[in-house]
């Protein structure tokens, strides 16, 4: 990462160098005539930077040599394979981040995406332990220098980090179930102070019909009587607080 950032910042911070770089790329008729500027505060942009540099590494290496600043790591098979692996991993993380930032996401949507990503990590780890690069297109293109045992360790570390950061989710599940599926959840699995009102709600044919015919959970709770179902109606107010937990967990890389 540090090597790529140094190269990109060298190219982008010098106007003449940047212009020459673009002209150099056009002379090779490359698919990508430029590279995105990297800033430390925009860590998600690193994924795009890594991927672009990886795919254009031969041309970037030639350009740096033409400027008298050769980068020997571009000729190191192990380092190039590591770069490909990193590009693939950052692509997965960027994709997750975009899904979590999707407009009108509710807490249950976010948790579902995080749970899915954690399952994917297990699959990816098992794949690489067998040197299967099916889901790693960049690494697959240069797997000659791949250090698969190291990559499995990285994925294990990433899996541990996710498990650690989002361990609160299991404790929040009962209240989330009340919010997401109030008419189908098992009463006894809900918080005890909601048992009687959940029974009343599930027995209310009108409310059940409204629930299954309303577009969106929030609309249903906005119309649910706070006098008749105070604690259940109030449960939807927890959603912003729970969402902030998720947001805070993904702010840092």
């Amino acid at each position: 990462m540090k090597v790529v950032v140094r190269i990109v910042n060298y190219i982008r911070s010098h106007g003449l160098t940047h212009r020459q770089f673009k002209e150099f790329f056009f002379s090779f008729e490359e698919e990508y005539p430029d590279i995105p500027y990297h800033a430390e505060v925009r860590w998600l942009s690193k994924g795009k930077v890594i991927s672009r540099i990886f795919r254009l590494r031969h041309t970037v290496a030639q350009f740096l040599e033409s400027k008298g600043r050769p980068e020997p790591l571009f000729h190191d098979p192990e380092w190039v394979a590591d770069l490909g692996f990193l590009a693939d991993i950052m692509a997965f993380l960027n994709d997750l981040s975009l899904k979590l930032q999707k407009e009108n996401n509710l807490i249950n949507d976010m948790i579902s995406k995080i749970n899915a990503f954690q399952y994917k990590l297990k699959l990816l780890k098992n794949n690489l332990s067998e040197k299967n690069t099916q889901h790693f297109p960049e690494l697959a293109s240069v797997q000659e220098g791949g250090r698969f045992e190291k990559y499995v360790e990285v994925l294990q570390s990433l899996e541990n980090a996710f498990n650690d950061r989002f361990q609160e989710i299991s404790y929040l599940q009962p209240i989330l179930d009340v919010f997401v599926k109030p008419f189908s959840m098992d009463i006894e699995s809900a918080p005890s102070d909601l048992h009687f009102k959940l029974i009343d709600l599930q027995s209310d044919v009108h409310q059940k019909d409204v629930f299954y015919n309303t577009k969106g959970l929030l609309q249903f709770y906005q119309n649910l009587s706070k006098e008749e179902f105070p604690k259940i109606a109030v449960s939807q107010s927890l959603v912003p607080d729970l969402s902030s937990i998720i947001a805070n967990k993904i702010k840092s890389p």
Side-chain angles (χ1 to χ4, degrees):
M1 183 77 77
K2 291 181 179 179
V3 174
V4 171
V5 170
R6 172 166 50 80
I7 291 171
V8 171
N9 286 342
Y10 164 71
I11 294 172
R12 294 305 302 263
S13 63
H14 298 81
L16 177 60
T17 303
H18 185 209
R19 187 167 64 253
Q20 291 174 334
F21 178 78
K22 294 176 71 174
E23 293 172 353
F24 184 76
F25 267 44
F26 277 122
S27 69
F28 279 84
E29 297 182 351
E30 292 285 0
E31 180 182 359
Y32 306 102
D34 202 358
I35 51 178
Y37 183 71
H38 169 76
E40 283 294 337
V41 294
R42 296 174 56 200
W43 73 271
L44 284 176
S45 70
K46 292 179 181 179
K48 295 180 180 179
V49 174
I50 293 291
S51 179
R52 190 70 58 86
I53 289 292
F54 175 79
R55 295 181 182 181
L56 300 174
R57 62 189 180 280
H58 300 299
T59 305
V60 172
Q62 292 180 52
F63 177 78
L64 293 175
E65 289 171 5
S66 73
K67 300 296 291 182
R69 297 176 64 99
E71 180 50 71
L73 287 175
F74 278 121
H75 304 289
D76 181 344
E78 286 190 351
W79 186 85
V80 172
D82 289 351
L83 185 63
F85 169 74
L86 181 59
D88 288 325
I89 290 300
M90 293 298 290
F92 292 135
L93 290 170
N94 282 1
D95 179 64
L96 173 63
S97 178
L98 291 175
K99 288 178 179 177
L100 293 176
Q101 295 176 49
K102 188 176 179 181
E103 189 176 358
N104 298 323
N105 259 349
L106 295 181
I107 182 67
N108 54 295
D109 299 318
M110 300 172 76
I111 288 179
S112 294
K113 291 175 175 61
I114 290 170
N115 287 338
F117 186 78
Q118 289 176 292
Y119 281 124
K120 290 176 183 177
L121 281 178
K122 294 180 184 295
L123 174 65
L124 295 174
K125 185 178 64 176
N126 292 337
N127 286 163
L128 286 190
S129 66
E130 299 173 354
K131 298 186 178 181
N132 179 351
T133 57
Q134 177 183 357
H135 300 292
F136 295 84
E138 309 295 17
L139 175 61
S141 67
V142 292
Q143 60 178 316
E144 176 185 351
R147 294 181 282 183
F148 290 92
E149 290 185 3
K150 172 185 175 181
Y151 304 151
V152 170
E153 291 178 2
V154 171
L155 289 176
Q156 182 62 62
S157 177
L158 187 58
E159 182 183 348
N160 293 342
F162 266 79
N163 291 338
D164 202 43
R165 285 171 181 253
F166 298 107
Q167 60 182 314
E168 297 102 326
I169 288 177
S170 60
Y171 303 112
L172 300 174
Q173 200 60 54
I175 190 64
L176 289 174
D177 286 342
V178 173
F179 175 71
V180 177
K181 50 181 182 180
F183 289 93
S184 61
M185 73 171 298
D186 176 42
I187 297 293
E188 293 187 6
S189 65
S192 58
D193 60 331
L194 298 180
H195 284 179
F196 281 7
K197 282 302 179 180
L198 261 180
I199 292 174
D200 290 340
L201 182 62
Q202 291 185 359
S203 302
D204 191 322
V205 177
H206 171 69
Q207 292 294 349
K208 187 173 184 178
D209 183 64
V210 171
F211 179 81
Y212 286 111
N213 289 283
T214 297
K215 294 182 179 180
L217 287 172
L218 290 182
Q219 184 179 347
F220 170 76
Y221 283 106
Q222 287 169 356
N223 296 321
L224 186 65
S225 172
K226 293 179 175 59
E227 289 73 28
E228 189 174 358
F229 303 102
K231 291 186 177 181
I232 295 177
V234 170
S235 72
Q236 60 94 13
S237 68
L238 292 174
V239 174
D241 296 331
L242 298 180
S243 297
S244 67
I245 293 175
I246 304 297
N248 289 332
K249 294 295 183 181
I250 63 169
K251 279 185 179 178
S252 58

